[in-house]
Amino acid sequence: GVSTTKDSIKSLFSAGKNVTCTVTYPENGGGGTMYIADKKMRGDFSTRDAGGKQLESHMILDGDTSYSWMGAQGIKMKIDSAAGAESPAAGAVGQSADLDEQQDMNCSSWSVDSSKFTVPAYVKFTDMTSILQKTPTQTQTQTGGSSPCNAISDPTAKAACITATQSSGN
């Protein structure tokens, strides 16, 4: 059965349930579907940018690594397991997924399809962990400038990178 629940993605994730949930974001006409099983999570999100253009973004959390991508460009990050599924993953998918925020979700159990947690081979991931470790102090204070994100040529991935590095400071 489908249950509507106000819950945070993080609490579902840490509860270790096998569920799929749909979320809607009324403010930007977007929404998403999440698949959670065995301490892994996949999210497929669709939002509209300021110009009304449809943006598709995806994320996978697998153990202590988060992958997020739009098109063929993505970011890969190690998540501090003590911090749990924290802001880098949320930042990477933009405003669409705040892992701690209570949201209206429709959740139902699903027969787990492990291919959902396989990162697509065509996506080129920039490993943010090594980039962030090189400049631990700068990333907190800088917005652009010599940000590690400037190494990313794809504008979408670069924007996601900037969001991720900014939001990890708090």
Side-chain angles (χ1 to χ4, degrees):
V2 174
S3 60
T4 304
T5 160
K6 238 192 169 16
D7 214 338
S8 73
I9 299 173
K10 196 163 155 190
S11 62
L12 287 171
F13 187 61
S14 49
K17 293 178 177 164
N18 296 347
V19 289
T20 174
C21 299
T22 51
V23 194
T24 25
Y25 306 109
E27 65 279 356
N28 56 15
T33 307
M34 273 150 321
Y35 305 89
I36 300 170
D38 187 28
K39 297 290 183 200
K40 295 181 184 177
M41 179 182 123
R42 158 83 181 245
D44 297 309
F45 302 98
S46 165
T47 53
R48 291 184 191 284
D49 67 11
K53 184 166 160 282
Q54 191 86 16
L55 300 174
E56 303 288 336
S57 57
H58 311 274
M59 67 178 285
I60 288 178
L61 290 178
D62 184 349
D64 59 355
T65 310
S66 93
Y67 303 87
S68 52
W69 69 97
M70 294 176 94
Q73 292 286 329
I75 338 180
K76 172 178 150 187
M77 285 177 106
K78 275 263 183 268
I79 304 170
D80 182 349
S81 49
E86 282 296 355
S87 52
V93 248
Q95 79 292 357
S96 54
D98 182 339
L99 300 185
D100 287 306
E101 189 189 322
Q102 299 275 307
Q103 309 186 46
D104 283 319
M105 294 196 255
N106 290 321
C107 294
S108 52
S109 52
W110 66 306
S111 51
V112 176
D113 171 4
S114 56
S115 71
K116 288 279 182 209
F117 305 112
T118 306
V119 178
Y122 64 85
V123 180
K124 181 176 180 299
F125 286 97
T126 305
D127 190 338
M128 292 299 298
T129 314
S130 51
I131 297 177
L132 292 174
Q133 280 165 352
K134 285 185 195 125
T135 54
T137 48
Q138 291 177 313
T139 49
Q140 305 297 333
T141 50
Q142 289 184 346
T143 55
S146 58
S147 161
C149 303
N150 288 350
I152 302 173
S153 56
D154 181 83
T156 316
K158 183 188 273 188
C161 164
I162 290 167
T163 313
T165 52
Q166 283 175 346
S167 63
S168 59
N170 41 25

